[in-house]
Amino acid sequence: MKKEDLRIVFMGTPEFAVETLKALVENEYNVVAVVTQPDKAVGRHQTEVQPSEVKKFALEHQLPVLQPEKMKDPVFVEELRSYKANLQVVVAFRMLPEIVWDMPAYGTFNVHAALLPQYRGAAPINWAVINGETQTGVTTFFLDKEIDTGRIIMQKPFDIPDEADVEYVYDGLMHLGADICLETLEKIIAADGHPESIPQEELEGKFSRLYDAPKLFKNTCEINWDRPCKRIYDFIRGLSPYPGAWTSLMGPDGKIVDLKIFKTTKTQKNVGMRPGMIVIYKGMLYITTADFLLQIDELQLAGKKRMSSRDFLNGNKNFENYIIK
């Protein structure tokens, strides 16, 4: 098979997927159409309409764009079929029905931001950092009936430094994902559309425990101060900068306000206080955990700007009178 024989439909929505689509275009792959989420209403009054990052890129490069509300919509399915794609590439998109992923002759492969079978689900980058992993990576695999369980084509590892937050890992995996997509396409071409792949069950025995990566919600991101300092440190960097780990405070007036925490430093200082107590010492802000003090470096009070804890304390002289709820 030659490169020109591939007719590719690309499916994706966020910035993370754009890097892979860009790589396909720059390497002159024949992307016949792009499928992305419908435009979203944004703004305070939901009056502005915002296209996805993938749609913006596709339109800039004169690629046809499909935006189905429902993936099983017969009109969409027939329109998709009309592009006569023999391969589909999926990056950071929604779950596809079999009528869609089974349509092309060479199947549909997904670029997943984890080393499957670890971290199946919607938020693999966040959960890898939250769980204190020192390594993650990207995987290409053929879509199957169950989410993130199909046969693996390729994997590439990516190291996670202890000080790294989600933004760092996201950026690294975004570029690595583009690389592995191109290498996967080369394997598909060399194998006339049917590259070697292995069932994920063959890899499951390598792990003492398999972690899932479910979608994040606000309640998922609330900090539990009863945990050890290292666990909370990983939790905060695993949600920084987005969606942000948070805790509730009660001020001297009895009002409750949310505080997001974006950056911290681990310590081995133990002051013998119960977890969740605010400590201010030499102009620095700390919060007690199950074992050691956690130094708070960057934070954001609801309705305010993100700032350093020193600047925050300078503007909130009575903060020692606040209580974590």
Side-chain angles (χ1 to χ4, degrees):
M1 178 194 295
K2 296 179 181 178
K3 182 178 181 178
E4 296 75 21
D5 295 331
L6 285 181
R7 292 179 58 83
I8 298 171
V9 165
F10 181 87
M11 301 184 182
T13 294
E15 176 196 23
F16 188 90
V18 173
E19 192 67 24
T20 301
L21 179 56
K22 178 183 175 185
L24 294 177
V25 171
E26 290 181 347
N27 284 272
E28 299 182 341
Y29 278 96
N30 185 18
V31 180
V32 295
V34 171
V35 182
T36 190
Q37 295 277 43
D39 297 352
K40 295 177 78 173
V42 297
R44 187 172 181 180
H45 302 291
Q46 300 285 287
T47 54
E48 299 176 42
V49 177
Q50 181 74 43
S52 73
E53 295 301 315
V54 162
K55 180 180 178 179
K56 292 177 187 176
F57 181 90
L59 294 179
E60 287 171 4
H61 292 80
Q62 293 80 51
L63 299 174
V65 176
L66 287 67
Q67 296 179 273
E69 290 283 351
K70 296 180 179 180
M71 300 300 291
K72 290 183 179 180
D73 181 347
V75 175
F76 162 70
V77 171
E78 286 310 306
E79 186 177 9
L80 182 64
R81 201 185 306 277
S82 72
Y83 286 97
K84 295 182 172 58
N86 49 20
L87 180 69
Q88 292 175 156
V89 177
V90 181
V91 184
F93 197 50
R94 59 215 277 192
M95 189 172 179
L96 302 182
E98 184 172 359
I99 194 172
V100 172
W101 59 255
D102 195 42
M103 187 181 295
Y106 303 140
T108 300
F109 77 81
N110 183 286
V111 178
H112 186 74
L115 296 176
L116 293 173
Q118 285 286 26
Y119 297 105
R120 294 168 176 151
I125 304 175
N126 298 93
W127 285 107
V129 181
I130 288 170
N131 289 333
E133 303 284 2
T134 58
Q135 188 180 76
T136 184
V138 288
T139 301
T140 51
F141 69 97
F142 285 115
L143 264 62
D144 208 334
K145 292 182 179 179
E146 302 298 325
I147 189 166
D148 297 338
T149 59
R151 295 177 66 92
I152 290 173
I153 310 166
M154 290 188 68
Q155 292 189 316
K156 281 181 173 290
F158 181 84
D159 292 335
I160 306 176
D162 185 63
E163 69 279 4
D165 61 14
V166 159
E167 188 171 39
Y168 172 90
V169 182
Y170 180 100
D171 187 66
L173 295 185
M174 180 172 67
H175 291 90
L176 195 61
D179 292 342
I180 199 173
C181 178
L182 294 178
E183 292 185 29
T184 299
L185 289 172
E186 290 171 4
K187 290 188 73 170
I188 289 172
I189 292 167
D192 289 328
H194 303 286
E196 289 186 11
S197 59
I198 61 172
Q200 291 191 31
E201 292 78 11
E202 292 187 12
L203 300 179
E204 290 179 358
K206 294 169 52 179
F207 304 97
S208 57
R209 175 181 174 182
L210 291 178
Y211 291 94
D212 290 326
K215 186 176 180 179
L216 297 168
F217 298 95
K218 183 178 179 181
N219 65 316
T220 315
C221 303
E222 184 176 8
I223 301 166
N224 178 0
W225 296 104
D226 289 329
R227 292 176 175 174
C229 181
K230 174 66 165 71
R231 290 286 306 276
I232 299 173
Y233 169 80
D234 291 336
F235 184 80
I236 290 169
R237 68 192 181 98
L239 297 169
S240 178
Y242 182 83
W246 63 278
T247 193
S248 288
L249 301 172
M250 184 171 71
D253 57 2
K255 290 184 179 179
I256 304 295
V257 63
D258 288 347
L259 179 75
K260 282 191 175 183
I261 300 175
F262 297 99
K263 189 175 181 181
T264 63
T265 301
K266 302 188 299 291
T267 81
Q268 292 191 325
K269 301 172 185 175
N270 189 330
V271 292
M273 299 167 66
R274 67 177 177 82
M277 300 293 290
I278 294 170
V279 176
I280 299 173
Y281 180 68
K282 292 186 178 181
M284 292 301 298
L285 173 61
Y286 302 87
I287 298 178
T288 57
T289 70
D291 48 16
F292 305 118
L293 289 175
L294 183 66
Q295 179 179 303
I296 311 302
D297 299 322
E298 292 184 17
L299 45 69
Q300 181 180 16
L301 202 60
K304 305 294 183 180
K305 294 181 179 179
R306 175 176 171 174
M307 62 183 70
S308 71
S309 60
R310 285 188 181 274
D311 290 342
F312 176 81
L313 292 175
N314 287 336
N316 294 271
K317 298 296 185 182
N318 68 336
F319 191 67
E320 60 192 11
N321 296 321
Y322 278 72
I323 299 170
I324 291 179
K325 294 295 289 177

